Amino acid sequence: MTKKILVTGGAGFLGSHLCERLVNAGEDVLCVDNFFTGSKANIAHLLNKPNFELMRHDVTFPLYVEVDQIYNLACPASPIHYQHDPVQTTKTSVHGAINMLGLAKRLKARILQASTSEVYGDPEVHPQPESYWGKVNPIGIRSCYDEGKRCAETLFFDYHRQHELEIKVVRIFNTYGPKMHPNDGRVVSNFIVQALKGQDITIYGDGSQTRSFCYVDDLIEAMVRMMNADKEFTGPVNIGNPNEFTMLELASHIIELTHSGSKIIHLPLPQDDPKQRKPNIELAKSALNWEPKTQLDEGLKSTIEYFKNYGI
Ligand code: NAD
Ligand code: UDP
C-alpha cells in the first residue's frame, strides 16, 4: 500500500535524492524545507508528479500534517553553513527533533533521524563503532552542530523509551555526489569546483587528516532499508564507506580525474577539525544486509559530470 512519507530538509542534497527515490517507488511524498541551504532546483523535476508535494516550513515551528513515516533530515550539514547562524543550527536540530517527534507521537508514525559521524567528534577510537561515545568539544565552533545532533539522538531514544515511539537513527559519514551545492564549502565540492575552474586547490592544514567518502546512492539505499527494517532495530547504525583517504589523496584523485592544471595550496586548519574518520559498518552489514557499492573514482566521475553540466 502507498505510504504517506514526510521528508524534512527534502530540498537539500541528500533530501532531494531521497524524495526522488521515494517518488519513483510510488510513495506519496511531502517535502518540507525552509530553503536555508536547499533549493527548488534540486526537486524541480518532481514538482509536476502527482505523488509529490512541496511545503515551505521551518521545522523549529510545529507542523500539523498526516503521514505514515517521517525522515528528519532538516539541518545544514556543511561547516560554513551550520556556523553561519549557530543558534539557529542548534534550534533546528533540537527544536526540530522535538517538533517532528511530537508529530510522530500523535500519528504513531515511524521516524528516522539523519544523525552524523560528528557525534564521535575528534575520535580516539578508529574506526568508529556505534558503541564509541565520542570526543566532542561542547563549546567550540562545531559544537552547535555536533551537540545539537547528540541532543537530537537523546530525544529520539527518550521518546522511544518513554512513549514507545518507533525510531530509527542513522549516523551518516561524509557523503558526496550530484546536487551538492557548489559553494557549500565541503571538501569534495570545493576541490571539484576548484579543479574545473583551474583555481588553486585549498587543503586545510597539511592534508594528512582523513575522511571516508560514501556515494549518495549507496547512502540513500541504506536509509530506506533502515526505515523499513524490523521495528526492534532502532540503531544507531553507522552508514558510510569505510575506504579512508587523506585530503592530499583526495585532491590528487580529483586533479587526475578532471585533468586539471590546478596547484595545491595549504590554508590554516579550522578549529576542532577531526584528524581521522572511518566508519565501522559491521552492524549495517549484518542488520541491513547493506554495504556500499560505489568506489571513490566512480562516484567522483559522476559528481564531476554533474558540476560540468551545472556550468562550472
Ligand atoms: P543540506 O544542507 O544540503 O540539506 C539540509 C536541508 O535542510 C536543506 O534543504 C535546508 O534548506 C533544510 N533546512 C535547514 N534548516 C531547516 C529548518 N529549520 N527547517 C526546514 N528545513 C531546514 O545537507 P545534506 O548534506 O543534504 O544533509 C542532510 C542531513 O543529513 C542533515 O541533517 C545532515 O546533518 C545529515 N548528514 C549529512 C552528511 C553528509 O555528508 N552530507 C553527513 C552526516 C549527516
Ligand atoms: N577541507 C579542505 N579543504 C577544503 C574544504 C575542506 O582541506 O576546501 C578539509 C577539512 O578541513 C576537513 C575535511 O576536508 O578536514 C572534510 O571537510 P568537510 O567540511 O567536507 O567535512 P567535515 O569536516 O564535516 O567532515
Side-chain angles (χ1 to χ4, degrees):
M1 212 180 94
T2 304
K3 290 186 285 300
K4 293 199 190 76
I5 304 182
L6 166 62
V7 179
T8 75
F13 163 47
L14 298 182
S16 58
H17 282 274
L18 178 61
C19 286
E20 182 177 304
R21 160 76 188 256
L22 297 172
V23 165
N24 289 342
E27 308 291 12
D28 203 347
V29 177
L30 172 60
C31 167
V32 161
D33 208 294
N34 71 348
F35 301 113
F36 174 49
T37 50
S39 72
K40 280 190 193 154
N42 282 343
I43 35 108
H45 61 300
L46 302 176
L47 287 171
N48 62 354
K49 306 261 183 188
N51 56 336
F52 180 79
E53 197 181 340
L54 174 64
M55 185 183 199
R56 183 192 288 266
H57 175 80
D58 182 328
V59 295
T60 62
F61 295 96
L63 177 67
Y64 296 93
V65 293
E66 309 300 316
V67 292
D68 305 307
Q69 291 186 339
I70 302 169
Y71 287 87
N72 188 36
L73 275 68
C75 186
S78 126
I80 51 167
H81 285 138
Y82 71 64
Q83 288 165 19
H84 172 74
D85 186 349
V87 173
Q88 174 68 11
T89 299
T90 305
K91 277 191 191 167
T92 295
S93 274
V94 177
H95 292 186
I98 290 171
N99 289 327
M100 293 310 112
L101 285 161
L103 177 65
K105 185 180 158 211
R106 176 174 68 78
L107 300 171
K108 297 192 178 17
R110 186 174 279 200
I111 180 166
L112 178 144
Q113 167 69 355
S115 190
T116 167
S117 53
E118 292 286 333
V119 301
Y120 302 121
D122 189 7
E124 296 146 309
V125 173
H126 193 74
Q128 295 81 54
E130 291 84 354
S131 54
Y132 177 51
W133 289 356
K135 183 186 160 221
V136 177
N137 177 356
I139 55 167
I141 56 170
R142 294 176 83 100
S143 311
C144 58
Y145 183 75
D146 299 8
E147 296 289 19
K149 289 284 188 179
R150 284 168 68 95
C151 184
E153 284 200 12
T154 307
L155 284 160
F156 268 68
F157 278 85
D158 280 333
Y159 268 78
H160 175 62
R161 283 183 287 258
Q162 201 173 328
H163 301 298
E164 286 154 25
L165 207 64
E166 286 187 27
I167 61 154
K168 302 276 169 188
V169 176
V170 292
R171 290 184 178 154
I172 302 170
F173 283 65
N174 297 64
T175 301
Y176 70 98
K179 294 189 184 168
M180 290 185 91
H181 197 287
N183 298 326
D184 93 349
R186 280 181 275 189
V187 68
V188 173
S189 44
N190 266 13
F191 286 2
I192 292 178
V193 170
Q194 290 163 345
L196 290 176
K197 287 185 167 167
Q199 295 170 344
D200 292 341
I201 307 262
T202 55
I203 289 194
Y204 302 158
D206 64 7
S208 63
Q209 71 271 36
T210 68
R211 295 292 187 273
S212 307
F213 297 102
C214 185
Y215 187 63
V216 60
D217 290 356
D218 286 329
L219 186 276
I220 298 298
E221 176 63 32
M223 252 194 192
V224 173
R225 281 188 193 210
M226 180 58 175
M227 175 60 107
N228 296 297
D230 280 354
K231 176 179 162 184
E232 288 68 36
F233 184 53
T234 57
V237 59
N238 289 338
I239 305 295
N241 188 321
N243 288 340
E244 184 183 11
F245 297 88
T246 65
M247 294 311 103
L248 274 170
E249 286 168 336
L250 177 71
S252 319
H253 276 292
I254 290 176
I255 289 173
E256 203 180 302
L257 291 172
T258 51
H259 311 289
S260 171
S262 291
K263 290 193 318 300
I264 287 176
I265 59 161
H266 292 267
L267 297 178
L269 193 65
Q271 192 193 319
D272 293 337
D273 199 272
K275 283 180 280 305
Q276 52 183 3
R277 192 182 286 150
K278 168 179 170 153
N280 173 324
I281 59 163
E282 293 311 309
L283 182 60
K285 280 186 185 168
S286 61
L288 303 177
N289 190 24
W290 172 89
E291 61 184 313
K293 292 191 169 57
T294 315
Q295 293 317 319
L296 187 67
D297 278 8
E298 191 189 339
L300 285 178
K301 279 182 195 160
S302 62
T303 313
I304 290 166
E305 259 335 282
Y306 168 78
F307 280 116
K308 279 186 183 163
N309 294 333
Y310 194 89
I312 304 285

